[in-house]
Amino acid sequence: MNHSNAQNPQKESEASQAYSLLQAAVNSTADGLLVVDTEGKISIYNNRFLTIFGFSEEEAHDKPDEVLLKKAITKVINPEKFIARVMELYATPEAESNDYMELTNGTILHRYSKPQILEGRVVGRVWSFRDITEQKRAEASLLKSEQLYRTLTDNMLEFINLVDAQGKIIYLSPSTRQILGDNYLEHIGTSIFSLVHPEDLEGAIGKFNQLIVEKKPVKAEVRYQKSSGGYMWLETNGNPIVDEDGSVTTIVLASREITDRKLSEEKILEQNSKLSAIADALKNKNEQLEEFTQIVSHNLRSPVSNILSLLEFYEKSDDEAEKKSFIKMLRESSSKMLSHLHELNEVLKIKQNKDIERQWIYFEEALENVKHQLSILIANTQANIVADFKSAPKILYPNIYLESILMNLLSNALKYRHPDKTPEIHFITIERGAGIEMMVKDNGLGINLKKYGHHIFKLRKTFHNHPESRGIGLFMVKNQIEALGGEINIFSEENNGTTFTVKFGE
Amino acid sequence: MPLVALVDDDSIFQFTATRLIESAKLANEILHFENGNEALLYLEKNASNSDRLPDFLFLDINMPIVDGWMFLEDFEKLKTKLAKDFPIYMVSSSIDPRDMNRAREFTEVKDFVIKPVTIERFTELLSAN
């Protein structure tokens, strides 16, 4: 420290007291201080001033003020501007100044200047220099990194947006224009959920709440509404930004379009279900083939083997009466074979007739027709037939199939009536989501399904000792119903009647 | 001379088989059953009477009410109560190998015989023991 104000010895002790205080104060500040009088002479400076301007102690020592100031000026970048500013301030002695300057060694200084006033008069000027190099550098690098990130988000193909904890949009990256159109920024301040497809809303809100509660990243696949109409599939990664007290303030949503992937996925699923439908159809065909093998091997071969045996008997016999009886039996076997062939043909016809013409048929009319054909049996059994077709009065179906179904189910119910009960047979139709369903319920003999259930719809299966049992009806009915994509099921209990349900299919 | 049971709903097979067995004098008596249920009822009734139990049983596959397979399932349970052991011949017009394989799964079934059955085949089957 230096001074140039010690000419008055009388006041020296007083002054030295004040001076030491000043000295302590001036040197305890982190700023470089320089006080210059109106003549341009240095009144005070501190050590910090010297170090900021890069003077050593020796350099500062014993140097006339003018030299020191001139030397200081050389260390300033753009000294002409610096001097001009100084001159300007001297012209307006009462003005304060607050600006920045840079030294040749890269130091950035905050320069503050204020007039020194003694007894109402300006006697000099106080300069303070604060080294803000580090601060400026940090600011600059912060700005630079912020710009970098901004450039990144602004140029990313991904859609970046920020929402608050309520889902309100805070920021939308320019790429969002692809979804929301040129006026995409209008969505800022609105809820992100207003853009989500209604079907995906529940899932999206669920994921959002999970993120808020668990404070962990989540991933979701969601459709967003496009400004141009339609929807776009996005895969969104949500990342929470958690503040000091541990609550989620902001959520970063980074999304990319997955519409193509989703469409291919859907296509694959579609193909898959087509393939499995084909597989089912093939399996069905295979089962039918097995059934045919069985029909051929059992039902057709058995009369043939009888014919062969009878022929041998015939050849070996000399008895004319006996021969006649063989011929009778041969005829019986032949006609049995013919009727088997006929049945087989009927079944084959059903299988080939998938595209058989359908027409609107009223159940009421069809049932009346069948009742008419069975009128003798109905009269003999005194059967009470109750029909309720109100909820589904008509159906688009092949006429001959519906007639065959009604005929077989009604004659079945009449044939297998309970010996101690007056037959009561109910026909009910209902409209269901998957098409029309019909229930046929009787109070007849019923059947032990545990024992016979697996045979019920097979060819030539009868479960009662009954002269009219042919065992073809249910087999045919099942084939007709299934050929048109429907199904038939049975519920029965011995002595407690039988219920057939027919699902006609869509 | 053995007692033979024929379980078959086919009346013509019953006729031809009976005639062949009788002409070759292969049986003392032939029992006729129209289906598996009738045969089971008979066996149950005569379970302890070994004289009335057959020495051979010919069993058809396709029959109403209780077919050949159902008969075999119930017979497995009934067998232990019977006073006599006897072989069962499965007789069918079926040439389906699945039927033959299925028949082999029952230990009671001694053989699978395909219709028509000749006199020679009956002789062979009924003299075996």
Side-chain angles (χ1 to χ4, degrees):
Chain A
M1 171 153 183
N2 204 349
H3 64 91
S4 48
N5 202 17
Q7 289 108 324
N8 199 337
Q10 290 99 321
K11 286 183 182 172
E12 193 155 358
S13 110
E14 227 178 273
S16 72
Q17 170 70 16
Y19 195 77
S20 103
L21 256 174
L22 185 64
Q23 185 185 32
V26 162
N27 272 326
S28 68
T29 163
D31 297 342
L33 286 177
L34 173 73
V35 184
V36 186
D37 68 14
T38 42
E39 308 300 309
K41 284 204 162 150
I42 294 170
S43 310
I44 309 171
Y45 61 87
N46 65 358
N47 286 338
R48 184 75 187 124
F49 171 76
L50 294 179
T51 47
I52 283 174
F53 278 84
F55 295 122
S56 61
E57 253 335 299
E58 291 79 38
E59 261 182 310
H61 230 68
D62 302 328
K63 283 261 161 63
D65 295 344
E66 300 83 350
V67 178
L68 192 64
L69 282 176
K70 263 183 196 148
K71 188 137 198 188
I73 287 164
T74 63
K75 304 207 167 188
V76 174
I77 285 184
N78 204 345
E80 293 78 21
K81 195 180 156 203
F82 176 79
I83 292 164
R85 181 70 185 140
V86 171
M87 298 317 285
E88 202 182 305
L89 284 174
Y90 276 96
T92 52
E94 304 206 357
E96 282 184 28
S97 160
N98 196 357
D99 59 4
Y100 299 94
M101 56 184 280
E102 200 174 341
L103 299 185
T104 47
N105 64 3
T107 307
I108 297 163
L109 298 176
H110 180 202
R111 177 175 60 175
Y112 181 65
S113 174
K114 206 182 163 169
Q116 185 196 0
I117 294 163
L118 188 68
E119 289 159 5
R121 237 166 17 91
V122 175
V123 294
R125 186 159 276 278
V126 184
W127 299 88
S128 84
F129 303 93
R130 179 170 294 180
D131 185 345
I132 54 160
T133 314
E134 281 308 312
Q135 190 193 329
K136 276 284 166 192
R137 198 169 288 157
E139 269 176 27
S141 83
L142 191 67
L143 192 72
K144 208 168 156 187
S145 84
E146 214 181 84
Q147 270 168 345
L148 183 69
Y149 281 113
R150 174 68 64 152
T151 314
L152 270 175
T153 51
D154 283 3
N155 290 290
M156 234 178 310
L157 284 173
E158 284 201 315
F159 310 112
I160 310 290
N161 58 65
L162 300 180
V163 297
D164 68 10
Q166 278 72 48
K168 211 160 77 181
I169 300 169
I170 302 167
Y171 167 81
L172 289 167
S173 65
S175 52
T176 322
R177 194 190 303 264
Q178 282 178 53
I179 312 174
L180 301 173
D182 288 342
N183 300 327
Y184 69 101
L185 291 175
E186 283 176 5
H187 291 274
I188 285 175
T190 65
S191 169
I192 184 88
F193 296 112
S194 66
L195 298 170
V196 172
H197 190 289
E199 281 174 25
D200 300 338
L201 196 55
E202 204 187 315
I205 291 174
K207 288 278 186 187
F208 191 82
N209 289 339
Q210 184 192 333
L211 180 145
I212 300 277
V213 172
E214 292 177 3
K215 303 178 180 66
K216 280 181 190 154
V218 294
K219 192 183 250 185
E221 290 179 0
V222 169
R223 276 165 292 178
Y224 289 90
Q225 193 163 27
K226 286 161 76 175
S227 63
S228 57
Y231 286 89
M232 189 187 234
W233 270 107
L234 295 186
E235 183 188 78
T236 300
N237 287 290
N239 277 288
I241 295 174
V242 182
D243 70 2
E244 297 87 7
D245 66 12
S247 59
V248 176
T249 53
T250 313
I251 295 122
V252 183
L253 300 173
S255 313
R256 62 194 179 90
E257 187 177 3
I258 53 162
T259 309
D260 287 349
R261 197 189 84 198
K262 277 283 168 187
L263 288 179
S264 341
E265 270 176 20
E266 273 168 30
K267 227 173 244 169
I268 287 168
L269 282 175
E270 201 182 304
Q271 292 287 351
N272 236 0
S273 78
K274 264 188 202 158
L275 280 177
S276 81
I278 291 170
D280 281 351
L282 279 175
K283 203 174 145 226
N284 209 356
K285 277 256 153 36
N286 219 19
E287 276 168 17
Q288 287 170 2
L289 272 176
E290 274 180 28
E291 215 159 27
F292 284 136
T293 324
Q294 211 148 6
I295 292 168
V296 172
S297 112
H298 286 265
N299 303 51
L300 291 180
R301 276 186 54 91
S302 92
V304 174
S305 75
N306 282 340
I307 289 169
L308 284 171
S309 300
L310 289 167
L311 282 174
E312 211 176 310
F313 285 4
Y314 184 87
E315 279 168 1
K316 285 181 182 163
S317 177
D318 297 322
D319 186 339
E320 280 307 312
E322 203 180 49
K323 277 186 164 177
K324 251 186 189 165
S325 79
F326 293 152
I327 291 288
K328 195 179 153 239
M329 281 189 262
L330 278 167
R331 190 166 290 139
E332 215 177 288
S333 291
S334 310
S335 62
K336 198 181 240 170
M337 197 165 80
L338 189 68
S339 86
H340 286 175
L341 278 171
H342 176 72
E343 284 160 4
L344 192 61
N345 214 27
E346 287 293 301
V347 175
L348 280 168
K349 254 200 273 178
I350 299 170
K351 310 272 188 202
Q352 289 169 341
N353 241 348
K354 269 193 181 151
D355 301 320
I356 187 166
E357 204 186 318
R358 299 167 185 236
Q359 57 212 88
W360 284 107
I361 315 157
Y362 284 89
F363 283 104
E364 190 75 58
E365 276 175 35
L367 183 63
E368 281 309 313
N369 189 15
V370 167
K371 271 160 79 179
H372 182 71
Q373 291 180 55
L374 293 171
S375 56
I376 296 167
L377 192 55
I378 294 168
N380 288 344
T381 56
Q382 290 179 304
N384 181 23
I385 299 164
V386 186
D388 177 1
F389 299 128
K390 279 193 293 292
S391 75
K394 58 176 184 171
I395 188 169
L396 191 61
Y397 213 69
N399 197 12
I400 50 164
Y401 283 11
L402 187 66
E403 198 172 291
S404 150
I405 293 163
L406 291 171
M407 170 66 89
N408 276 290
L409 294 181
L410 180 56
S411 63
N412 228 48
L414 291 168
K415 251 189 265 174
Y416 305 119
R417 63 188 175 271
H418 198 284
D420 307 329
K421 293 179 200 165
T422 306
E424 212 166 289
I425 304 153
H426 290 263
F427 287 81
I428 301 161
T429 54
I430 321 161
E431 173 81 61
R432 290 224 195 265
I436 292 171
E437 215 174 294
M438 179 173 70
M439 274 205 304
V440 181
K441 186 174 155 51
D442 67 45
N443 62 343
L445 284 168
I447 192 169
N448 185 341
L449 284 177
K450 244 190 204 151
K451 212 163 176 179
Y452 306 127
H454 56 300
H455 290 297
I456 196 93
F457 295 109
K458 294 261 175 76
L459 185 62
R460 301 236 143 257
K461 287 291 171 187
T462 55
F463 306 95
H464 301 279
N465 262 331
H466 198 285
E468 289 166 73
S469 304
R470 287 206 309 141
I472 180 92
L474 287 178
F475 176 74
M476 293 281 275
V477 163
K478 184 180 160 72
N479 273 293
Q480 287 168 330
I481 292 168
E482 286 180 353
L484 294 174
E487 60 176 271
I488 180 167
N489 288 295
I490 181 172
F491 305 93
S492 188
E493 224 178 289
E494 248 172 328
N495 292 317
N496 264 329
T498 302
T499 304
F500 283 98
T501 59
V502 178
K503 290 174 185 163
F504 289 102
E506 281 171 79
Chain B
M1 288 259 269
L3 178 62
V4 173
L6 296 177
V7 188
D8 201 317
D9 64 321
D10 183 343
S11 58
I12 292 174
F13 176 76
Q14 290 268 10
F15 170 80
T16 55
T18 304
R19 196 178 157 96
L20 287 175
I21 293 167
E22 278 173 354
S23 70
K25 297 194 168 49
L26 293 167
N28 236 353
E29 189 187 343
I30 299 171
L31 303 166
H32 301 274
F33 302 104
E34 262 189 49
N35 61 59
N37 197 40
E38 282 185 12
L40 284 167
L41 288 174
Y42 174 88
L43 293 175
E44 231 174 309
K45 210 173 124 194
N46 297 287
S48 48
N49 188 356
S50 69
D51 283 352
R52 294 309 301 154
L53 290 175
D55 299 292
F56 299 93
L57 188 141
F58 290 90
L59 181 68
D60 185 25
I61 294 177
N62 265 16
M63 289 180 290
I65 309 176
V66 172
D67 68 13
W69 307 120
M70 293 187 216
F71 172 90
L72 285 172
E73 274 162 30
D74 286 4
F75 183 78
E76 281 190 319
K77 285 170 238 153
L78 182 68
K79 203 172 65 172
T80 51
K81 294 187 213 153
L82 298 178
K84 195 160 84 185
D85 217 17
F86 54 85
I88 293 173
Y89 293 118
M90 209 91 203
V91 190
S92 173
S93 54
S94 171
I95 47 165
D96 192 335
R98 280 170 303 182
D99 286 336
M100 298 182 197
N101 289 334
R102 193 168 167 198
R104 257 180 228 130
E105 285 168 21
F106 295 91
T107 51
E108 300 79 16
V109 176
K110 208 173 169 195
D111 211 341
F112 191 96
V113 187
I114 293 168
K115 291 175 183 174
V117 188
T118 58
I119 189 153
E120 291 78 19
R121 190 85 167 106
F122 270 123
T123 311
E124 183 193 323
L125 293 170
L126 291 174
S127 41
N129 227 330

